[in-house]
């Protein structure tokens, strides 16, 4: 059985003390940090982007940033997130049409590739080809699409 990975979301952090909050989570046992990136289009909220991730990476050396991309155009942000120090780039199945191409782009940029599905997306949408190419599958328990 694979070893469990603890990846708390930094979304509940005090953003005025984000680096300190990240260091506290790592000190208290987090393996990865889950960075919720929201663009105000795919979901109604706006959170953080590459500039914030870059600052955290600089202040918390060795951090594994699990970047959950709740964005309308996930292809657009791959290189920026990689340059900011993203370790894993998890995009939403519903946000793109060419899943394998995006997975390859993510891996070419030096990150692990994850794919998330919304609660009403059937698990069968993840074909064997997509499942074998992805490093992680995230099954959402709440809706993220901006209606």
């Amino acid at each position: 059985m694979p070893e469990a990975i603890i990846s708390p979301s930094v979304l509940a952090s005090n953003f005025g003390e984000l680096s300190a909050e990240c260091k506290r989570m790592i000190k208290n046992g987090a393996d990865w940090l889950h960075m919720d990136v929201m663009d105000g289009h795919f979901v109604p909220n706006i959170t953080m982007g590459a500039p914030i991730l870059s600052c955290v990476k600089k202040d918390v050396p060795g951090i594994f940033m699990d970047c959950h991309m709740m964005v309308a155009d996930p292809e657009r942000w791959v290189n920026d997130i990689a340059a900011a120090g993203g370790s894993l780039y998890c995009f939403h199945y519903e946000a793109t049409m060419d899943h394998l191409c995006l997975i390859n782009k993510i891996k070419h940029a030096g990150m692990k590739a994850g794919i998330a599905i919304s609660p009403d997306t059937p698990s069968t949408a993840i074909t064997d080809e997509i499942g074998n190419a992805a490093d992680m599958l995230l099954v959402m328990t709440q809706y993220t699409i901006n209606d």
Side-chain angles (χ1 to χ4, degrees):
M1 174 175 237
E3 189 173 320
I5 296 170
I6 308 299
S7 183
S9 175
V10 303
L11 195 56
S13 297
N14 173 349
F15 273 39
E17 299 288 332
L18 191 56
S19 291
E21 293 269 302
C22 291
K23 289 175 184 176
R24 180 181 57 82
M25 286 182 253
I26 299 284
K27 179 183 173 193
N28 286 295
D31 300 303
W32 298 358
L33 293 183
H34 186 86
M35 314 302 270
D36 287 303
V37 177
M38 303 178 194
D39 67 355
H41 298 284
F42 188 73
V43 294
N45 292 334
I46 297 173
T47 56
M48 64 185 89
I52 301 284
L53 299 177
S54 182
C55 290
V56 171
K57 181 70 174 183
K58 186 188 311 181
D59 289 346
V60 189
I63 187 175
F64 187 102
M65 289 192 288
D66 163 17
C67 301
H68 179 195
M69 304 300 295
M70 290 177 270
V71 298
D73 185 9
E75 293 85 355
R76 177 179 177 189
W77 305 106
V78 171
N79 293 331
D80 288 345
I81 298 299
S87 307
L88 184 144
Y89 189 102
C90 184
F91 65 94
H92 275 262
Y93 177 89
E94 302 83 7
T96 187
M97 297 300 293
D98 196 342
H99 308 99
L100 289 171
C101 182
L102 182 50
I103 289 169
N104 289 331
K105 182 175 183 173
I106 293 164
K107 289 186 174 191
H108 186 260
M111 295 179 288
K112 291 183 178 290
I115 187 165
I117 57 173
S118 293
D120 58 352
T121 299
S123 61
T124 55
I126 304 299
T127 63
D128 286 344
E129 192 174 18
I130 292 171
N132 289 330
D135 297 297
M136 182 185 79
L137 175 61
L138 176 61
V139 179
M140 299 296 294
T141 57
Q142 67 182 29
Y143 292 95
T144 57
I145 295 179
N146 186 6
D147 291 325

